[in-house]
Each structure stands twice: as structure tokens, then as C-alpha cells.
Amino acid sequence: MKKYFFKLNLSQLVFLGLVIAIKIILGRFSVGPELVKVGLGFIGSVALGYFFGPIWGAVGGGVSDLVSSALFGNQGGFFIGFTLTAMLGPMIYGFFFYEQPRKIWRIVVATVTVTFLVNILLNTIWLHLLYKVNFQVAFNARILKNLIVPWLQMIIIYFVLDGLSRVKTRMNKLEKSRM
Amino acid sequence: MDPRGKIIATFLFIFVIFLANNWQSYLIVTFFTLLSIYFTKLKVKMFWDGVKPLLGLILFTSLLQLFFAPSGKIYWQWWIFSISTMGTVNAIYIFLRFSLIILISTVMTLTTMPLEIAAAFEWIMSPLKIFKVPVAEISLIMSIALRFVPTLFDQTVKIMNAQRARGADFSSGNLIQRIKAIVPLLVPLFINSLEVAIDLATAMESRGYRSSEGRTRYRTLAWSKYDLYNLGFFMTLTILLMVFRRY
């Protein structure tokens, strides 16, 4: 647990700010056919967890939710629950990907955990609390979409982690030269 | 009006709307929401634009409620679908609740600058200092993210065009090909921001930035008399709801 609590130096702090900005921008894009559109925001979450670990990743996720609601308005009303779920995603990715080798099982387990815990369970609970929607009904409606999307996400994460590892090597090199 | 007041009011509105549980109280909340929309003096179309992207979700949720949660007298039934008195009423309530929460949030975002909202968030987070949360650092991150969203957005478009010019294709091919096409977009974007981060950090340090503690503020927020009106308006709403709700 100890290795996740560390102080960021200024350039890391600024980079965290920029990764959050990237996450917000990616959140506005999506890929895939019309029926199962996959938003790209989760790539930002993966990057946050991968670069900064679960704790700072969670901070980044929370800030990204606040900043995007400040810039674009909050979809579905302003509610602290959605900020919490935005924090949880990068946190889980951080536990699985931060300073860990890229393994297929890590990608699968992380994606499934995030999908179930965050997208299906928690977000349904928030909707239930916010709008008094029948829990069972909203839950079933959500499961349908979340049966397909995670598989696409896993493939994307597999390729993206490869790209991110190249960025990370560059990051360590630049950090060293700056010291 | 002070952004802190507006954010707190928006936040509390979501809790206050839970108090509404019969048609009188819903009428009151709707009236107050429309009143605050009127006071913003903005065009109705701007609010419509706020609701439009979510209209599908709102309708979907209300319809689910309408068809799948029967209670009370049943009017019409077919297979697993049924329309009942309570189901209809609940569907209408959910529709209203959804739209009102979105409308109030839209009022907040339309009438407040992003920078002001960020400053207000910082103020609201400041009690977290007790738990050793690095609030000053977080607000620095927040302002950097806010400042760089437009810049990086331009970058993204530029990188996309640059890759397109060399034959990259983001919108055709099978799914795997499309997914693979994202990587040449992401890596330059991250490397680019890494360089920006290093440069910006160097620039900040050379201008005497040491840590987020022990600094003064150039942009400050000030409470005004309108915030008192806002508070009064809100208190009236809460009291009216308490009186008219069904216990």
C-alpha cells in the first residue's frame, strides 16, 4: 500500500493536470459501430492509473469529473456520487496496471471489475438514489450494454498499454535529465 | 452572484428534490426551477440544448418505469408490459425529477465561467485539509487541466490531421483496425503533453514556484447581497416542500 502514497514533484503534478485534460478530451470521442459506441474516456482512466497509481489516479479521476462538468456541464445533473465513481475507475486500473507488467489476465480482471463495480452497480445505485428509478429495471437495462462493451475495452487497453509504456520510458528519461 | 453560492445551491437542490413526493410539492419545485430559469434571462433554446443530449435517456428511464414497475390499478397489460396508475404517476415524477435536476445544473453552468467554478470547487474542498488531502496541489492540477483542455483539443485535431495526411484512417476498416488506429493518435498526444509538462514546470520554478503552500491569491471570490437572495429563495423552497410533502 505504501508505494501508492507518494509526493508528486512539480513536473509530475503538471503532467497529471495534462493527462486529466487528455481524459476529458478523449471522453468526447468514441469508436465503434452506431449500436455499441464505446466512449474513449476510459483510456484516460487507464492512463491515470498506469502513470500515477491508484491514489493519485483517483484524485485525477475526481478532478476530471469536476473540470469536465465545469467546462461542458454535467450530464445528468451535478451529483457527488458520479464524482466518486469517476475516482474509482482510475483507482482500480491503478491497482492492476501501476508498475506491473502488461498481462492479459490483468487487463481482463481490471476491466471486468470496473465494469461491474462502477458502470453497472454504483452508477445504477446513483440513478436509483437520484431519480428513484426502480433498481431492478435500471440494472437490467444497464447489463445489456455492458455485456458487449468490456470486450472492446479490453482490446483497446491491450494496445493502449503498449503505447503508454513507451510514453513512460520517455517520462523516466526526461525526469532524469531534468534532475 | 458568487459561484460558491450557486454550486452549493445546485448541490442542495438535488437533495431538496427528494423531499417532493406528491403533485403539490412537484408543482412547487417546477415553479421554482422555472423562476430561476427566468431570472437568468437566457434564451430557452440554450436550456433545450442542455436537455437534448439526455432526452433519450430520460424518456427511456420513464418508459421503463411506466411499463415494468406495475403497482396500483392496472389499465393495460400485454406479456410483461403493463401500465398502471402508480406506474404512470411514477414515470411522470421521474421525468420531472430528471429534467429539473438537469435544468438547474444547466442554469449553473451557463451562468458561471469555468474558472470561477474551479475556484469555487477549491473553496468547497478546503475542509478536506483536515484529512491531509493536498487541496492546494489538487486545485493547481485543476486549473492546469482547465487551462489545457482547449490547447490539447487543438493538438488532438492537429495530430489526427497529420496522421491522416500520411494515410492513417480513423473511420474505416474492421473494429480491430480502428482500435489500432487510436494508438498512433494517443502516443504523440501523451509525449506532447509530457514535454509541455516539463516546460511548464521549468517555467513555473524559474518564476519562483516552490510549493502550493504560502502563496497569495490574485483571483478571489467575494460574497454579494445576491447570494443572500439566493439563499432566501432556496430556504423558501425547502420550507414550502416540507409543508406540502406527504409524510
Side-chain angles (χ1 to χ4, degrees):
Chain A
M1 215 41 200
K2 197 100 189 217
K3 71 168 180 178
Y4 299 136
F5 288 93
F6 47 87
K7 255 185 119 61
L8 295 180
N9 64 34
L10 182 60
S11 54
Q12 287 170 321
L13 219 55
V14 177
F15 187 48
L16 176 53
L18 291 170
V19 174
I20 292 166
I22 292 178
K23 175 171 157 57
I24 293 167
I25 293 162
L26 288 176
R28 324 279 301 161
F29 288 105
S30 57
V31 285
E34 211 39 63
L35 250 172
V36 273
K37 272 220 174 302
V38 188
L40 292 183
F42 78 96
I43 295 180
S45 305
V46 172
L48 282 173
Y50 180 77
F51 287 132
F52 301 101
I55 302 300
W56 281 106
V59 169
V63 171
S64 79
D65 181 70
L66 296 181
V67 170
S68 75
S69 61
L71 281 174
F72 303 109
N74 207 310
Q75 300 246 306
F78 197 79
F79 184 60
I80 192 86
F82 294 116
T83 314
L84 281 180
T85 43
M87 291 173 80
L88 209 57
M91 192 173 201
I92 294 168
Y93 288 130
F95 280 125
F96 282 100
F97 299 145
Y98 179 65
E99 297 197 335
Q100 303 283 4
R102 179 178 71 154
K103 289 270 158 53
I104 303 234
W105 72 266
R106 287 185 178 280
I107 297 172
V108 174
V109 177
T111 316
V112 170
T113 318
V114 171
T115 309
F116 266 90
L117 212 66
V118 179
N119 296 357
I120 300 184
L121 198 64
L122 273 175
N123 278 340
T124 316
I125 292 178
W126 304 141
L127 278 186
H128 174 67
L129 285 179
L130 257 184
Y131 304 117
K132 293 265 166 68
V133 183
N134 185 306
F135 184 83
Q136 195 69 45
V137 167
F139 189 78
N140 294 345
R142 230 155 230 277
I143 277 188
L144 268 181
K145 192 194 169 199
N146 281 302
L147 279 180
I148 316 161
V149 172
W151 306 106
L152 292 176
Q153 289 189 338
M154 285 173 205
I155 304 170
I156 297 178
I157 291 175
Y158 184 80
F159 289 117
V160 163
L161 277 182
D162 184 44
L164 291 185
S165 72
R166 275 182 273 158
V167 179
K168 188 137 184 177
T169 351
R170 185 74 166 267
M171 184 165 123
N172 294 337
K173 218 158 79 191
L174 279 175
E175 278 290 306
K176 270 202 201 92
S177 69
R178 201 171 166 264
M179 284 298 150
Chain B
M1 210 152 81
D2 192 284
R4 289 170 293 183
K6 276 189 274 189
I7 287 184
I8 292 169
T10 314
F11 205 77
L12 289 179
F13 183 84
I14 290 172
F15 290 95
V16 166
I17 206 167
F18 288 132
L19 290 174
N21 57 4
N22 55 4
W23 67 267
Q24 291 97 334
S25 45
Y26 268 102
L27 197 70
I28 294 166
V29 188
T30 314
F31 175 71
F32 270 78
T33 310
L34 291 179
L35 209 62
S36 58
I37 288 176
Y38 171 75
F39 280 135
T40 60
K41 305 253 163 50
L42 290 169
K43 285 200 191 79
V44 179
K45 190 181 169 295
M46 300 180 82
F47 291 96
W48 170 242
D49 287 341
V51 182
K52 205 163 56 181
L54 287 162
L55 204 64
L57 183 68
I58 300 178
L59 284 176
F60 181 64
T61 324
S62 327
L63 286 179
L64 277 180
Q65 191 69 29
L66 180 64
F67 286 121
F68 292 106
S71 53
K73 199 174 152 223
I74 289 177
Y75 288 129
W76 177 81
Q77 200 161 20
W78 177 71
W79 193 33
I80 49 171
F81 303 95
S82 58
I83 294 180
S84 63
T85 354
M86 283 310 288
T88 318
V89 171
N90 278 336
I92 293 169
Y93 282 171
I94 284 174
F95 181 79
L96 267 180
R97 193 191 288 259
F98 237 119
S99 324
L100 292 182
I101 288 179
I102 291 161
L103 282 175
I104 283 288
S105 305
T106 318
V107 168
M108 191 199 67
T109 41
L110 282 183
T111 58
T112 322
M113 301 280 289
L115 265 178
E116 288 181 326
I117 298 181
F121 279 140
E122 187 191 346
W123 183 82
I124 291 166
M125 277 192 297
S126 52
L128 291 176
K129 277 179 192 151
I130 304 166
F131 304 108
K132 299 238 167 106
V133 177
V135 174
E137 265 94 358
I138 293 176
S139 71
L140 173 74
I141 296 169
M142 202 184 271
S143 31
I144 288 171
L146 257 181
R147 163 64 184 77
F148 277 95
V149 167
T151 317
L152 287 183
F153 193 81
D154 287 349
Q155 288 277 9
T156 315
V157 176
K158 265 188 202 149
I159 294 170
M160 269 174 118
N161 286 338
Q163 305 279 32
R164 270 203 198 106
R166 289 184 280 157
D169 196 349
F170 296 107
S171 54
S172 71
N174 65 34
L175 210 55
I176 301 281
Q177 282 170 337
R178 274 197 226 181
I179 287 168
K180 272 187 168 165
I182 299 173
V183 178
L185 177 73
L186 284 178
V187 174
L189 192 59
F190 277 104
I191 300 273
N192 228 323
S193 5
L194 194 61
E195 272 155 13
V196 171
I198 303 269
D199 286 350
L200 185 59
T202 313
M204 282 169 74
E205 272 166 358
S206 56
R207 300 202 59 176
Y209 178 94
R210 284 173 159 272
S211 80
S212 306
E213 304 299 329
R215 299 169 60 83
T216 53
R217 273 162 208 283
Y218 179 63
R219 282 177 223 276
T220 49
L221 299 169
W223 297 102
S224 70
K225 66 176 181 191
Y226 295 105
D227 293 294
L228 280 179
Y229 298 156
N230 185 20
L231 195 69
F233 191 70
F234 201 76
M235 290 283 270
T236 324
L237 171 65
T238 315
I239 291 166
L240 279 176
L241 280 180
M242 299 271 238
V243 173
F244 280 97
R245 82 191 286 251
R246 184 192 63 216
Y247 285 97

